[in-house]
Amino acid sequence: MNVRSIFLQAALVTAVTSITAMADVGTGPSQPLDREINAVLNLENSWHTTLRIDDTPEQPITVRIPIGNLTYTLELEPKSTRSENYQVLMQDDEGELYEVPAGPIRTLRGSITELAGSIAAGSLMEDGLYARIRLGNGEEVWLEPMRDKIDGINEDLYALYYTTNMIPSEGVCGADDHMHVDDVLGMLANYKTSTDRGTVICTAQLGVDTDYEYYQDWGSQTESRINQVINSVNVQYEDEVQLSHLITTIIVRSSSNDPYDSSNAEIMLDEFGTEWNNNQGSIQRDVAHLFTGKNTGSTIGIAWLGVVCYTSMGYSLVQSDCCGSLGCTTDLSAHELGHNWGAGHVQSPAYNTMYPSIQCANLFVSASINDITSFANGLNCLSCENQAPTGACCIGSNCVVMYQSQCDAGGGDWQGNNTTCDANPCVAATGACCVSGACQILSSEDCFLAGGSYNGDNVTCGSVSCSPGACCNDQTCSVTLEADCAGSWYGEGTSCDDITCGAGADHINYEMRTWSRSDGASMVTFDLYFPSTDPNTIMTAVFGNANVLELYTWSNSLFDGSATPVALHQSNYGADVAHDRALDSLGGIDLVYDSYVAIGSDDAAFSAAMLLGFDSAGFNGTDGLMINDGLWFIIPDDPAGALGQGTALGHRIGSFSIEAGQGFETRVNVQWFDGAGEVHQSIGLYWNNYGLDPEPACATDINGDNTTDVNDLLALIDAWGACSGCAADIDESGMVDVDDLLLLIGGWGPC
């Protein structure tokens, strides 16, 4: 249903009986004012009205606003973005922090009365009401007061605009340049098994910091402005990925003696992490966000990838007021928090929240939604409605009732959902003990005295097996109890005949394909695979750190120092990662055999690897690719990492196309999970194409379809005459003539 039809239907709705704010719809032709509004808010188009609104916070608001040719009722109720333990800290001239009383709650939530499915987030600031309104049909309208933005105008003047009216920012995100491969590998290795939470909204605790320059911009409204932005961001997260953020702490740096000296976004992010890791460890948070008022150049935001619940790396920052409107400010914070939630950049379509430069789109596309939900479903620190009961947590011999995520973060021992401290479970912890093939709940001491194997404090019998199974310790297999296995345990009843220890490869498998490029060149494509003897192996990353990753193409395949660097074949329509195979028919043969890196699938419709620290210039030019702090990777529960997404040869690493006779060599490092879920790395796997040159194509196959037939005859006739270097000049005489025709007839049939 289009917007116009919705508006026409809404016109039939009866008038609201109670209105607490009045609107004087002033959308007449004031073109100079419209142009000034557009310039101030960085918009292509907008319209305006006058609204008289009670400025008392923590009260419901009802106001009539014009959209299109109709007027609608916006109803808002107070809604906090703050956690139960919310606090505001102020910095004094000495750099010390002290707590100040929190300001009134100025954030609101509601909807358009006449439009079913609409969602609205409002903030009653000192200069008036701001609102983000989703109409329920894919359209989005923003409302902002203008009295403090344009001198001399009516103090009740408001601007309205669609999301699509915002002009994209020229600023970019620096996330790809800042990730360190060792940190990414560590996070992948600690990834939790995904759990589908359906439509339940889960909430992350958000810590917020500011610098002195941001305080200079907002002064006494700093706290309110941050609540406003997060309230606006939450509309998108709640609606599209079933996530939300509650602010636990805001630090207002009201003196110049703050810890943030740099105006370089990358350095400032490091300063942010250092400050909070060293000095703000007591602030409850799952992730932290820094608002800076500095001019950070072209990089207006930066963040660590996939770090929610990983507090030592859980940071992002934004040059929040870079781009004019609240709508663009919202999109920037949604973008950087999106990285924290595991979403990488999305190049296509260009209009989306996770595009590398900020588009002010305020919309996640399916690839980002999948990344964020897959990552979030694997976390255990979030508070999820109806899914996060409290329980007893033992910290030493002390018992405290809290959430499991809080208990784990504090290094405590979780006693289970809905458990209490009434009987003090923290004295003499018990767990599953295997004795003579049976499980008992005993203390570790009692288990030892019974001659059993203790599986750990608070481990239940339902989660362990007391029957032996295969255990891999490096490359050695033995049959043991789960509790006695120091390596990877494959489950009860398994034997060493069922698995191969050390299933990760010490080599690379390949497939070779020959073809003819659109310019007639004879081509070879090498599909490279990481093999495994264990069908349950999952490959997550190809990486370089101290173990350098290399990929080079040479003018010949002798590898004796006589070759010079050349470039891989690259299609104009391809990318550094696998493309959508549905585009093959449009891009032609050069796209079919485009060079790319991958994890598992060769079709981006199923999965596309994320790139960090990846030198596109080296990959697409003659310099070759060398990575010492970068990788291409997927998150562990992406189905592309399973062996079945490759071939019988293993997990796809990439496909690389070169001209026949050229040399190709690579050295890679691979992170992978074995069938028991243990993480491993295979280092320095080397491969080259020495001795793998394909059989020469028959010279009479002019069109490259591996058959000399009438199509080649027609191509030869069409080229008749002087034709030096063309495919139809079979005898390379510089002329296509009767001698070439006789050669073609003599070569008739399959090549």
Side-chain angles (χ1 to χ4, degrees), residues 240-286:
E240 298 178 18
V241 291
Q242 293 77 57
L243 296 169
S244 190
H245 308 85
L246 282 180
I247 304 171
T248 63
T249 300
I250 296 176
I251 298 178
V252 179
R253 307 281 183 176
S254 57
S255 79
S256 59
N257 190 20
D258 69 21
Y260 308 122
D261 299 325
S262 179
S263 59
N264 177 285
E266 182 173 349
I267 296 174
M268 195 183 305
L269 183 62
D270 287 339
E271 291 176 337
F272 183 28
T274 299
E275 162 66 13
W276 277 54
N277 287 338
N278 292 342
N279 302 317
Q280 309 307 332
S282 62
I283 294 178
Q284 191 70 39
R285 65 189 187 273
D286 300 313

Side-chain angles (χ1 to χ4, degrees), residues 245-481:
H245 308 85
L246 282 180
I247 304 171
T248 63
T249 300
I250 296 176
I251 298 178
V252 179
R253 307 281 183 176
S254 57
S255 79
S256 59
N257 190 20
D258 69 21
Y260 308 122
D261 299 325
S262 179
S263 59
N264 177 285
E266 182 173 349
I267 296 174
M268 195 183 305
L269 183 62
D270 287 339
E271 291 176 337
F272 183 28
T274 299
E275 162 66 13
W276 277 54
N277 287 338
N278 292 342
N279 302 317
Q280 309 307 332
S282 62
I283 294 178
Q284 191 70 39
R285 65 189 187 273
D286 300 313
V287 66
H289 200 53
L290 172 64
F291 291 80
T292 177
K294 293 186 175 73
N295 183 347
T296 57
S298 61
T299 301
I300 58 176
I302 193 168
W304 294 101
L305 182 77
V307 290
V308 175
C309 304
Y310 188 54
T311 55
S312 63
M313 299 295 296
Y315 302 109
S316 56
L317 73 82
V318 291
Q319 184 188 324
S320 188
D321 300 316
C322 64
C323 311
S325 65
L326 172 63
C328 219
T329 293
T330 297
D331 196 50
L332 176 56
S333 280
H335 178 110
E336 301 306 337
L337 287 169
H339 285 314
N340 293 158
W341 285 105
H345 284 152
V346 177
Q347 298 279 353
S348 179
Y351 191 71
N352 76 90
T353 291
M354 297 310 300
Y355 194 75
S357 61
I358 306 306
Q359 300 297 290
C360 311
N362 291 284
L363 179 71
F364 290 129
V365 294
S366 58
S368 301
I369 291 172
N370 292 337
D371 285 346
I372 292 171
T373 54
S374 293
F375 179 80
N377 288 343
L379 302 178
N380 63 4
C381 70
L382 307 180
S383 176
C384 302
E385 297 175 12
N386 304 318
Q387 289 194 7
T390 59
C393 175
C394 290
I395 304 174
S397 59
N398 298 315
C399 183
V400 182
V401 175
M402 60 178 62
Y403 293 111
Q404 183 177 0
S405 60
Q406 297 170 320
C407 183
D408 294 343
D413 294 322
W414 178 247
Q415 303 301 299
N417 293 345
N418 301 312
T419 53
T420 69
C421 294
D422 294 345
N424 195 358
C426 305
V427 178
T430 59
C433 174
C434 291
V435 183
S436 301
C439 182
Q440 304 177 39
I441 299 297
L442 301 172
S443 69
S444 61
E445 183 179 359
D446 290 342
C447 183
F448 175 77
L449 294 174
S453 284
Y454 191 64
N455 291 270
D457 292 347
N458 306 313
V459 175
T460 64
C461 285
S463 64
V464 301
S465 173
C466 289
S467 298
C471 171
C472 281
N473 191 358
D474 294 326
Q475 298 184 7
T476 303
C477 182
S478 59
V479 177
T480 70
L481 293 176

Side-chain angles (χ1 to χ4, degrees), residues 181 184-185 188 528 539-544 549-551 576-578 596-600 608-615 619 625-627 629-635 651-656 664 666-671:
V181 62
V184 176
L185 293 172
L188 294 175
L528 303 187
M539 184 173 76
T540 56
V542 178
F543 68 94
L549 184 157
E550 298 174 306
L551 191 156
D576 298 338
V577 296
Y596 59 85
V597 299
I599 300 290
M610 291 183 274
L611 307 176
L612 290 172
F614 189 93
D615 185 0
F619 186 65
L625 182 68
M626 185 177 79
I627 299 176
D629 187 29
L631 74 174
W632 57 93
F633 72 101
I634 58 171
I635 57 178
H651 311 264
R652 185 183 297 269
I653 292 174
S655 292
F656 310 97
F664 175 76
T666 183
R667 188 182 308 275
V668 300
N669 314 295
V670 177
Q671 178 170 283

Side-chain angles (χ1 to χ4, degrees), residues 35 297 384 402 523 561 582 589 647:
R35 288 195 296 268
C384 302
M402 60 178 62
M523 304 296 295
I589 194 71
T647 72

